Amino acid sequence: MRPFTVFERLSKAFHDYPSLSRILVVSTISGGGLMAYSEVNGSYSNNGVETRTRKKKVVLLGTGWAAASFLKSLNNSSYEVQVISPRNYFAFTPLLPSVTCGTVEARSVVEPIRNIGRKNVEMSFLEAECFKIDPESKKVFCRSKQGLDSNGKKAFDVDYDYLVIATGAQSNTFNIPGVEENCHFLKEVEDAQRIRRTVIDSFEKASLPGLNEEERKRMLHFVVVGGGPTGVEFAAELHDFVNDDLVKLYPKSKNLVQITLLEAADHILTMFDKRITKFAEEKFSRDGIDLKLGSMVVNVNDKDISAKTKGGEVSTIPYGMIVWSTGIGTRPVIKEFMKQIGQGNRRALATDEWLRVEGCDNIYALGDCATINQRKVMEDIADIFKKADKDNSGTMTVKNFQQVMGDICDRYPQVDLYLKSKGMRGITDLLKQAQAENGSNKSTELNIEELKSALCHVDSQVKYRHLGQFAPLGGEQTAAQFPGDWVSIGHSSQWLWYSVYASKQVSWRTRVLVVSDWMRRFIFGRDSSRI
Amino acid sequence: MRPFTVFERLSKAFHDYPSLSRILVVSTISGGGLMAYSEVNGSYSNNGVETRTRKKKVVLLGTGWAAASFLKSLNNSSYEVQVISPRNYFAFTPLLPSVTCGTVEARSVVEPIRNIGRKNVEMSFLEAECFKIDPESKKVFCRSKQGLDSNGKKAFDVDYDYLVIATGAQSNTFNIPGVEENCHFLKEVEDAQRIRRTVIDSFEKASLPGLNEEERKRMLHFVVVGGGPTGVEFAAELHDFVNDDLVKLYPKSKNLVQITLLEAADHILTMFDKRITKFAEEKFSRDGIDLKLGSMVVNVNDKDISAKTKGGEVSTIPYGMIVWSTGIGTRPVIKEFMKQIGQGNRRALATDEWLRVEGCDNIYALGDCATINQRKVMEDIADIFKKADKDNSGTMTVKNFQQVMGDICDRYPQVDLYLKSKGMRGITDLLKQAQAENGSNKSTELNIEELKSALCHVDSQVKYRHLGQFAPLGGEQTAAQFPGDWVSIGHSSQWLWYSVYASKQVSWRTRVLVVSDWMRRFIFGRDSSRI
């Protein structure tokens, strides 16, 4: 849900690695990210006959970012793709906080999944939820969201040749009692729509007769749990919605509304630069958003939320609505599958650098449901050297190395990223620099120690290239942070935010809709009809 | 739900009777319509002191067309208005068939009721449903849609000085078994949204594995009951949605979809000119919409609908979705109230020409929940003559008559409508014509017989002036019928339809949204994401 990861994911998928014959994906994990790519051709490109007679069936679970990237990148007509997901659309999730308050309409951020993907790849979709993966029989077991009334059949199974798991994650409640039952989450479009209705409901309820001031205040007390970018953006959106639009229609509620943000850490937006954190905290304080830092939620019931300070003191606050936004957890189907394959104690599916789920054949996982155990260059340095040193002379030329460079970059994407991050045009620069540092002569021959020295830093490279991150703070102000310690806060960043988000839409339709929603909001404000 | 009545109602309310100190309303009843207006000032304008010390409280039940017209017309700051309705918005209902297929978005046709009404009139809104009216204690009893969790209180009562009932009507099921439980209606915005989701669900369900062809066909069999403008428009919209958009995304479903329209009468669109009926029936036949005329539904269960032909033969058809659109019935709260006031055997509340509910004090009713028993000029002709004949001479001058004309037109709106329909500028023309027809001399004196003769036709005037009616037939073709036997069918009428509907929006916001929805549909088609 980190706004800018979108930009990164897509731009990386399409610009940095335009090789479309690969299953190319970018996956993010909380607190950082990884990018890797994999090639499914390998295993059966040597079986030309079968390829021609029967298409291999790729079953893709999910219609989120990872699944959409996969579909957009797969350009090989020898596969047929069967997508299975309970949602028949892709949603531009970074705009969900905007949907909660009607700044953008729900329908403007969704695109039917059948419209995503390339024309030459046969693709079909099943609106169903996978509840079990059986790697033995190469089947997934699914059930339709809606009861199929005929014959009472709901569950069915689907065979696969290759399985791509991109089911994403779910909100993490940390098993805190009452959270599941009483809080709103902000993962799906339906969540955002429900939040919007609940906000309006709260104002309507608080306008009814027969209530005392305390009850009205409780109904209009909106609590946000989690000071990450999503929670902060939602709090800011809600503040704008209330102050720009709702107080005009519900003037009596003006002095009763309160927004509180609870954060367990000492600051909000901790993954951002300190200047942004400081600006955001000061702005929220000016806006009257009550920031309760160092507050760990311990219990929620239908009217009150209890939080413990670091000193151990528990305070209980009455609330009207809670939005819970504290990060992601594992979906049950993935948990179950991890148990089956001996990864039961993990948080996400472990894959190798080809995104193959470890311990499974022909199963790939990507996105929020997976983490990549990337192979290290330095561990394989002897093999790499051997491959380049074709004549087994104990030394290799730069030219030798260039010849195997493509394979190495495929397998160890950190090499390529490292070169880019250092502003080098190719491996030659790296080898030359290493030779220069080691005081070697200008010979084009390297031994294994020189190669080790040249590549010693590449494994430290975070493969997920951080292009930047936004945190909208309300009042047409956004904080933005880009690599190289560049921080921008204010109205200009808001316009940058508008441009980036408009440009990153998956279709022209959604782009036009999102931009026209923004224009509509500028002119007419947000709608508060309870539909 | 007759498209064009909107145009009529609003244009009549604002142009024909711009007298804004009156509670001016236009009400339509099925199969025709009536228009009347009433003045609530009368009873207490002579009590200037009280007016200044306490505002009179007008409770308005409803937020539909009648209620919105009332709010827009009420321009007297000596009243405070308390609006009570389960919906906090006004909906432009003639566009609901468009909402069912995403041609127009739900939010584009709604406007918060708090935005409607004049600034100088104090207005507040309660989101609640009135379930009982007590004219004795001058109270209405209401309950909130949502359970108020605090103290378990849900119901409350509201006092009124004047009560204006504009709750509208509900769909009429004719008590046919299974209709209520299994059919979709098309009265509210939520109905339209639910239909849209159900259409998409049907296509998704029919795409799931493990179904035979018969089951898939059943799921994709859409039945419309009722061949009035709403049913016809929905069938046409659905046909366009399926053929323009859905078959591209669900190509396998193309040959399985069927739309059937059941109509009890021998033709559809019976209230239109025969040329329109013929054109519509032929177009539907070309489009493959199965018209079953003379089919009276007798029973509906969860999978089948049974209809009886005029010959008495009952046939049962499996269906996936039914939309029921056969006219309007009385809401329970109105039924109950009619029983209380001795109107129990009626279909709608009877009012006098001032819209006062007969047998009640200070209670007014308008819109689909009411019918007007209009006073006849000819029954009161002696009193009218007496009023004009101030000197009791047995004759009156045209000037005498002109002096009381304002009062007469207030009480007998048919007079004004009659003059307009005959292209007369005023009563002078009418009187002169009567004298000429009777061979009287050019004297300006009339006796009572001459007055009778002049006014003998006014009571025949249908007060509801029919400005025309549209019936969209799909494929960018609309049938339109206007007074004077003018019928227009085709693309040009579709453009007229667009213009009229755009111009009749209640706010600039909805106008811009509706027009941009149409443009979006032209360019990108309709969205089929299941949200």
Side-chain angles (χ1 to χ4, degrees):
Chain A
M1 202 73 75
R2 298 222 323 267
F4 211 68
T5 57
V6 179
F7 186 12
E8 284 164 64
R9 295 179 198 188
L10 284 182
S11 60
K12 288 203 70 63
F14 295 110
H15 300 301
D16 297 356
Y17 296 95
S19 163
L20 294 169
S21 65
R22 289 169 191 150
I23 298 184
L24 171 63
V25 290
V26 184
S27 88
T28 327
I29 53 167
S30 61
L34 293 168
M35 194 286 303
Y37 55 90
S38 167
E39 192 164 355
V40 289
N41 295 27
S43 59
Y44 83 115
S45 62
N46 43 11
N47 185 355
V49 182
E50 187 179 341
T51 304
R52 253 169 270 128
T53 50
R54 190 180 79 81
K55 289 191 176 186
K56 290 278 182 179
K57 184 164 176 187
V58 179
V59 168
L60 169 63
L61 302 180
T63 48
W65 283 100
S69 298
F70 173 81
L71 284 177
K72 283 196 156 194
S73 307
L74 185 70
N75 192 18
N76 188 325
S77 61
S78 57
Y79 300 101
E80 60 164 298
V81 182
Q82 172 72 72
V83 186
I84 302 174
S85 166
R87 304 177 317 176
N88 74 356
Y89 53 84
F90 163 81
F92 192 89
T93 46
L95 282 175
L96 287 187
S98 299
V99 172
T100 58
C101 296
T103 308
V104 166
E105 288 301 329
R107 206 164 285 276
S108 307
V109 303
V110 300
E111 184 68 26
I113 196 71
R114 291 180 177 82
N115 287 342
I116 294 171
R118 293 165 175 275
K119 294 275 173 258
N120 60 335
V121 180
E122 196 183 319
M123 191 262 259
S124 60
F125 174 80
L126 297 178
E127 194 185 74
E129 187 157 11
C130 170
F131 62 92
K132 186 175 157 62
I133 298 164
D134 183 2
E136 298 301 320
S137 62
K138 287 187 147 194
K139 275 184 200 305
V140 290
F141 294 84
C142 309
R143 84 168 66 85
S144 166
K145 274 204 306 183
Q146 354 167 10
L148 280 185
D149 42 9
S150 66
N151 315 327
K153 277 188 291 185
K154 284 174 76 173
F156 57 89
D157 57 71
V158 178
D159 294 312
Y160 63 80
D161 293 311
Y162 298 96
L163 177 64
V164 179
I165 304 174
T167 51
Q170 64 184 26
S171 294
N172 197 346
T173 64
F174 302 101
N175 293 322
I176 296 167
V179 172
E180 188 78 43
E181 301 87 327
N182 297 300
C183 295
H184 288 267
F185 302 101
L186 195 38
K187 283 288 290 176
E188 312 283 348
V189 176
E190 285 94 339
D191 295 338
Q193 290 177 303
R194 214 174 295 126
I195 289 173
R196 182 173 184 178
R197 278 196 295 270
T198 308
V199 171
I200 310 285
D201 280 349
S202 303
F203 277 83
E204 291 296 356
K205 276 204 282 190
S207 306
L208 291 175
L211 299 168
N212 60 36
E213 175 126 338
E214 194 190 337
E215 286 170 319
R216 290 184 210 276
K217 276 193 172 169
R218 183 183 67 71
M219 287 168 181
L220 294 174
H221 184 207
F222 301 98
V223 176
V224 184
V225 182
T230 307
V232 165
E233 184 176 354
F234 170 69
E237 275 280 350
L238 182 61
H239 174 264
D240 284 0
F241 186 28
V242 168
N243 287 279
D244 295 351
D245 304 286
L246 292 178
V247 295
K248 288 179 201 156
L249 294 183
Y250 305 81
K252 287 176 190 161
S253 303
K254 189 171 181 174
N255 297 319
L256 305 172
V257 187
Q258 178 62 49
I259 301 171
T260 300
L261 196 153
L262 299 178
E263 164 60 47
D266 292 333
H267 289 285
I268 59 170
L269 298 177
T270 45
M271 68 292 289
F272 280 85
D273 188 282
K274 284 205 177 83
R275 287 165 288 179
I276 289 177
T277 298
K278 187 162 176 283
F279 181 90
E281 290 178 357
E282 285 170 3
K283 179 171 189 309
F284 274 20
S285 157
R286 282 195 305 278
D287 287 347
I289 295 174
D290 189 12
L291 272 184
K292 289 197 189 299
L293 301 171
S295 287
M296 179 98 75
V297 174
V298 289
N299 186 63
V300 182
N301 66 33
D302 64 340
K303 281 187 206 164
D304 302 305
I305 179 167
S306 302
K308 194 163 72 174
T309 61
K310 293 216 163 161
E313 201 185 328
V314 175
S315 61
T316 296
I317 328 165
Y319 73 87
M321 181 178 99
I322 301 175
V323 172
W324 188 268
S325 172
T326 57
I328 56 175
T330 319
R331 285 194 191 275
V333 58
I334 302 299
K335 258 188 204 151
E336 187 55 40
F337 179 55
M338 289 197 300
K339 272 187 210 160
Q340 284 176 59
I341 59 170
Q343 297 190 8
N345 53 355
R346 292 183 57 87
R347 197 198 57 75
L349 282 165
T351 72
D352 68 10
E353 71 274 24
W354 310 102
L355 298 185
R356 289 185 294 212
V357 174
E358 291 188 348
C360 298
D361 282 333
N362 300 327
I363 301 185
Y364 297 76
L366 52 144
D368 282 349
C369 65
T371 52
I372 300 161
N373 289 336
Q374 173 58 36
R375 188 173 283 273
K376 298 270 194 289
V377 170
M378 293 312 279
E379 285 169 7
D380 302 343
I381 195 79
D383 288 343
I384 293 171
F385 188 82
K386 204 172 163 191
K387 200 168 178 187
D389 177 19
K390 281 179 185 162
D391 54 3
N392 281 323
S393 62
T395 58
M396 62 168 201
T397 62
V398 171
K399 204 177 163 196
N400 285 151
F401 196 75
Q402 278 171 334
Q403 281 162 354
V404 297
M405 189 62 197
D407 283 349
I408 289 173
C409 282
D410 272 6
R411 185 137 203 177
Y412 309 96
Q414 63 264 51
V415 175
D416 200 43
L417 290 172
Y418 183 77
L419 295 177
K420 287 213 172 104
S421 74
K422 295 286 171 194
M424 292 174 182
R425 277 161 177 260
I427 197 74
T428 324
D429 289 350
L430 184 64
L431 296 178
K432 280 184 181 157
Q433 191 192 42
Q435 288 177 324
E437 278 168 9
N438 293 338
S440 305
N441 53 21
K442 295 275 176 186
S443 138
T444 54
E445 297 278 321
L446 290 92
N447 60 27
I448 189 165
E449 290 308 316
E450 284 170 324
L451 183 65
K452 269 190 192 170
S453 156
L455 297 175
C456 65
H457 295 299
V458 296
D459 286 326
S460 68
Q461 185 63 34
V462 176
K463 281 191 298 178
Y464 169 86
R465 188 148 60 109
H466 204 68
L467 296 184
Q469 202 169 359
F470 285 113
L473 301 174
E476 292 297 307
Q477 296 195 68
T478 283
Q481 179 172 354
F482 302 101
D485 203 30
W486 183 43
V487 164
S488 161
I489 307 173
H491 299 290
S492 55
S493 309
Q494 177 75 27
W495 285 100
L496 185 63
W497 182 90
Y498 283 128
S499 335
V500 171
Y501 275 37
S503 69
K504 292 303 152 194
Q505 293 298 317
V506 283
S507 73
W508 272 102
R509 192 186 66 84
T510 57
R511 187 168 298 130
V512 169
L513 291 183
V514 163
V515 173
S516 61
D517 282 353
W518 287 330
M519 282 162 50
R520 180 212 62 200
R521 204 269 297 167
F522 273 113
I523 302 169
F524 302 110
R526 301 167 186 86
D527 182 38
S528 60
S529 303
R530 202 265 179 207
I531 57 169
Chain B
M1 203 75 74
R2 300 222 320 268
F4 211 70
T5 56
V6 179
F7 187 12
E8 284 164 67
R9 294 176 199 192
L10 284 183
S11 60
K12 288 202 70 62
F14 295 111
H15 301 301
D16 298 356
Y17 296 95
S19 164
L20 295 168
S21 66
R22 290 168 191 150
I23 298 182
L24 171 64
V25 290
V26 183
S27 88
T28 326
I29 53 169
S30 61
L34 293 166
M35 193 286 303
Y37 55 90
S38 168
E39 192 163 359
V40 290
N41 296 27
S43 58
Y44 84 115
S45 61
N46 43 11
N47 185 354
V49 182
E50 187 178 342
T51 305
R52 252 170 270 128
T53 49
R54 189 178 80 83
K55 288 191 177 187
K56 289 277 181 178
K57 184 164 176 187
V58 179
V59 168
L60 169 63
L61 303 180
T63 49
W65 283 100
S69 300
F70 173 81
L71 284 176
K72 283 196 157 192
S73 308
L74 184 71
N75 191 19
N76 187 325
S77 60
S78 57
Y79 300 101
E80 60 164 298
V81 182
Q82 172 72 72
V83 186
I84 301 174
S85 167
R87 303 177 317 175
N88 74 357
Y89 53 85
F90 163 80
F92 192 88
T93 47
L95 282 175
L96 287 187
S98 300
V99 172
T100 58
C101 296
T103 309
V104 166
E105 288 301 328
R107 207 165 283 279
S108 308
V109 304
V110 300
E111 183 68 27
I113 195 72
R114 290 180 178 82
N115 287 340
I116 294 172
R118 293 165 176 274
K119 294 273 173 261
N120 60 335
V121 180
E122 197 183 319
M123 192 263 258
S124 60
F125 174 79
L126 297 178
E127 194 184 76
E129 186 157 13
C130 170
F131 63 92
K132 186 176 159 56
I133 297 163
D134 183 1
E136 300 300 320
S137 62
K138 288 186 144 194
K139 275 184 201 303
V140 291
F141 294 85
C142 310
R143 83 169 66 87
S144 167
K145 274 205 307 185
Q146 353 166 11
L148 280 184
D149 41 9
S150 67
N151 315 328
K153 278 187 289 184
K154 284 175 74 173
F156 56 89
D157 57 71
V158 178
D159 295 312
Y160 63 81
D161 293 311
Y162 298 97
L163 176 65
V164 179
I165 305 174
T167 52
Q170 65 184 24
S171 295
N172 197 345
T173 64
F174 302 101
N175 293 321
I176 296 167
V179 173
E180 188 80 44
E181 301 87 328
N182 297 300
C183 295
H184 288 265
F185 302 100
L186 194 39
K187 283 287 291 173
E188 312 284 348
V189 176
E190 285 94 339
D191 295 337
Q193 290 176 302
R194 215 174 293 127
I195 289 173
R196 182 172 185 178
R197 278 196 296 269
T198 308
V199 171
I200 309 285
D201 281 349
S202 304
F203 277 83
E204 291 296 356
K205 277 202 283 188
S207 305
L208 291 175
L211 299 168
N212 61 35
E213 175 125 336
E214 193 189 338
E215 286 170 319
R216 289 183 211 277
K217 275 193 173 170
R218 183 184 67 72
M219 286 168 181
L220 294 174
H221 185 207
F222 301 97
V223 176
V224 183
V225 181
T230 307
V232 165
E233 184 176 353
F234 170 70
E237 276 279 351
L238 182 61
H239 173 265
D240 285 1
F241 186 28
V242 169
N243 287 279
D244 297 350
D245 304 286
L246 291 178
V247 295
K248 287 179 201 157
L249 294 184
Y250 306 81
K252 287 177 190 162
S253 303
K254 188 171 182 176
N255 297 318
L256 304 172
V257 187
Q258 177 61 49
I259 301 171
T260 300
L261 196 153
L262 299 177
E263 165 58 48
D266 292 333
H267 290 284
I268 59 170
L269 299 177
T270 45
M271 67 293 290
F272 279 86
D273 188 281
K274 285 206 176 81
R275 286 167 287 178
I276 289 177
T277 297
K278 187 162 175 284
F279 181 89
E281 288 178 358
E282 286 171 5
K283 181 174 188 304
F284 273 21
S285 159
R286 282 196 304 278
D287 287 348
I289 296 173
D290 188 12
L291 271 184
K292 289 197 189 301
L293 301 171
S295 286
M296 178 99 74
V297 175
V298 290
N299 187 64
V300 182
N301 66 34
D302 64 341
K303 280 187 207 164
D304 302 304
I305 178 168
S306 302
K308 194 164 71 174
T309 61
K310 292 216 165 161
E313 200 185 327
V314 174
S315 62
T316 296
I317 329 165
Y319 73 87
M321 180 177 99
I322 302 176
V323 172
W324 188 268
S325 171
T326 57
I328 56 174
T330 318
R331 287 193 189 275
V333 58
I334 302 299
K335 258 188 204 152
E336 187 56 40
F337 179 55
M338 288 197 298
K339 272 188 211 160
Q340 285 176 59
I341 59 171
Q343 296 191 9
N345 53 355
R346 293 182 57 88
R347 197 197 58 74
L349 282 165
T351 71
D352 68 9
E353 70 274 22
W354 310 103
L355 298 184
R356 289 184 295 210
V357 174
E358 290 187 350
C360 298
D361 282 335
N362 300 327
I363 300 186
Y364 297 76
L366 52 144
D368 282 348
C369 65
T371 51
I372 301 160
N373 290 335
Q374 173 59 35
R375 189 174 283 272
K376 297 271 193 288
V377 170
M378 293 312 279
E379 286 169 8
D380 301 345
I381 194 80
D383 288 344
I384 294 171
F385 187 83
K386 205 172 160 190
K387 201 170 177 185
D389 178 21
K390 281 177 186 165
D391 56 2
N392 280 321
S393 62
T395 61
M396 60 166 206
T397 62
V398 171
K399 202 177 164 195
N400 285 152
F401 196 76
Q402 279 171 331
Q403 283 162 351
V404 297
M405 190 62 199
D407 282 349
I408 289 173
C409 282
D410 273 4
R411 185 136 203 178
Y412 310 95
Q414 63 264 51
V415 175
D416 200 42
L417 289 172
Y418 183 77
L419 294 177
K420 286 211 173 107
S421 74
K422 294 288 167 188
M424 293 174 182
R425 279 162 176 257
I427 196 73
T428 325
D429 289 349
L430 184 65
L431 297 177
K432 279 184 183 158
Q433 191 192 42
Q435 288 177 325
E437 278 168 12
N438 292 338
S440 304
N441 54 20
K442 295 274 176 184
S443 137
T444 53
E445 298 278 319
L446 289 92
N447 60 27
I448 189 164
E449 289 309 316
E450 284 171 324
L451 183 65
K452 270 189 192 170
S453 158
L455 297 176
C456 65
H457 295 298
V458 296
D459 287 326
S460 67
Q461 185 64 35
V462 175
K463 280 190 299 180
Y464 168 87
R465 187 147 59 107
H466 204 68
L467 296 184
Q469 202 169 359
F470 285 113
L473 301 173
E476 292 298 306
Q477 296 195 66
T478 284
Q481 180 173 352
F482 303 100
D485 203 30
W486 182 42
V487 164
S488 162
I489 306 173
H491 298 290
S492 56
S493 308
Q494 177 75 29
W495 285 99
L496 185 63
W497 183 91
Y498 284 128
S499 337
V500 170
Y501 276 37
S503 69
K504 293 303 151 192
Q505 293 298 317
V506 283
S507 73
W508 271 102
R509 191 186 66 84
T510 57
R511 187 168 298 130
V512 169
L513 291 183
V514 163
V515 172
S516 61
D517 282 352
W518 286 329
M519 282 161 50
R520 181 213 61 202
R521 204 270 296 167
F522 273 113
I523 303 168
F524 302 110
R526 300 166 186 88
D527 181 39
S528 60
S529 304
R530 202 267 180 205
I531 57 169

